[in-house]
Amino acid sequence: DTGVSQDPRHKITKRGQNVTFRCDPISEHNRLYWYRQTLGQGPEFLTYFQNEAQLEKSRLLSDRFSAERPKGSFSTLEIQRTEQGDSAMYLCASTHGRNRGLETQYFGPGTRLLVL
Amino acid sequence: GQNIDQPTEMTATEGAIVQINCTYQTSGFNGLFWYQQHAGEAPTFLSYNVLDGLEEKGRFSSFLSRSKGYSYLLLKELQMKDSASYLCAVRDVATNKLIFGTGTLLAVQP
């Protein structure tokens, strides 16, 4: 099964440190989405890519956050100078995008970040 | 603005039927999704409605009324493994991003 994969699954860091997460979408899926989910809430949209182009960024994505998808395959999400409020589950989802994005988004297992 | 409402918690009995409601107010609408999420895991896709009416998939059915901004997820023959959070999400017409409600935590009791 080659579903969406994310790495690492868990990350504990100290406040002020930088962290980077990776997402590998389903093969040949050209749309990739990042979401953030805190306890007791639904996922909140952060940003999305069509191939290597980043097409939208949420206001939640402060200047400490940056996302890339350099070759239109895997994507990375970096958080600089982490704060305790960044503690959350970071979810990645992908779709094949052949129907103008009108397809189901399939989620990866998520990266759970804890900032101490 | 965008607002999606669903009950925070529900309890039901094994073998019974439960209906989880979702109401939404969004600036654009391009389909409504239901996802299941077990604690500590990623959301998994359950159903999708873009037109009014009922969609049935085994023990799960989902209904949509676009004029009322209303959907429900119906779970039949409840099993203990159905204990999970059920997320209602509306797809944004411009970007296809999903806008989620806070989720309904369903507890299935023996």
Side-chain angles (χ1 to χ4, degrees), chain A residues 31 33 35 37 40-43 45 48 56 89 91 100-110 112, chain B residues 30 33 35 37 39-45 48 87 91-92 94-103:
Chain A
R31 286 201 174 205
Y33 298 79
Y35 294 84
Q37 185 176 25
Q41 302 296 315
F45 170 79
Y48 93 98
E56 183 178 343
M89 172 83 92
L91 293 162
R100 295 183 292 115
L102 298 177
E103 317 92 4
T104 300
Q105 292 185 23
Y106 294 95
F107 284 84
R112 186 172 294 281
Chain B
N30 195 19
F33 289 78
Y35 283 82
Q37 187 176 29
E41 298 182 9
T44 55
F45 169 72
Y48 162 64
L87 298 162
R91 184 162 55 195
D92 178 78
T95 64
N96 292 303
K97 68 187 179 189
L98 295 175
I99 303 160
F100 285 88
T102 56

Side-chain angles (χ1 to χ4, degrees), chain A residues 12-89:
Chain A
I12 300 174
T13 190
K14 293 182 179 179
R15 189 176 53 185
Q17 298 294 305
N18 298 343
V19 294
T20 300
F21 311 140
R22 175 178 169 129
C23 170
D24 286 87
I26 294 172
S27 179
E28 298 182 356
H29 276 198
N30 59 26
R31 286 201 174 205
L32 186 150
Y33 298 79
W34 285 99
Y35 294 84
R36 181 174 71 184
Q37 185 176 25
T38 54
L39 201 62
Q41 302 296 315
E44 296 174 292
F45 170 79
L46 292 178
T47 189
Y48 93 98
F49 293 83
Q50 169 91 23
N51 298 311
E52 65 275 9
Q54 188 174 16
L55 296 184
E56 183 178 343
K57 293 193 289 186
S58 162
R59 283 173 291 181
L60 293 175
L61 218 64
S62 74
D63 56 6
R64 297 185 297 106
F65 288 71
S66 62
E68 294 182 343
R69 195 181 183 199
K71 297 182 180 179
S73 56
F74 72 91
S75 175
T76 58
L77 178 68
E78 181 183 15
I79 309 175
Q80 296 182 326
R81 306 180 303 281
T82 52
E83 301 173 357
Q84 289 181 325
D86 297 332
S87 296
M89 172 83 92

Side-chain angles (χ1 to χ4, degrees), chain B residues 8-71:
Chain B
T8 304
E9 296 181 349
M10 297 183 72
T11 302
T13 304
E14 191 176 15
I17 299 172
V18 70
Q19 177 174 313
I20 303 174
N21 296 324
C22 172
T23 58
Y24 63 90
Q25 291 176 311
T26 57
S27 55
F29 177 85
N30 195 19
L32 188 140
F33 289 78
W34 285 95
Y35 283 82
Q36 180 191 60
Q37 187 176 29
H38 286 98
E41 298 182 9
T44 55
F45 169 72
L46 287 179
S47 71
Y48 162 64
N49 296 71
V50 66
L51 300 176
D52 291 352
L54 189 68
E55 294 284 338
E56 296 186 80
K57 287 176 79 173
R59 294 190 300 115
F60 296 83
S61 303
S62 58
F63 172 84
L64 176 66
S65 169
R66 289 172 295 170
S67 62
K68 295 181 180 178
Y70 168 70
S71 174

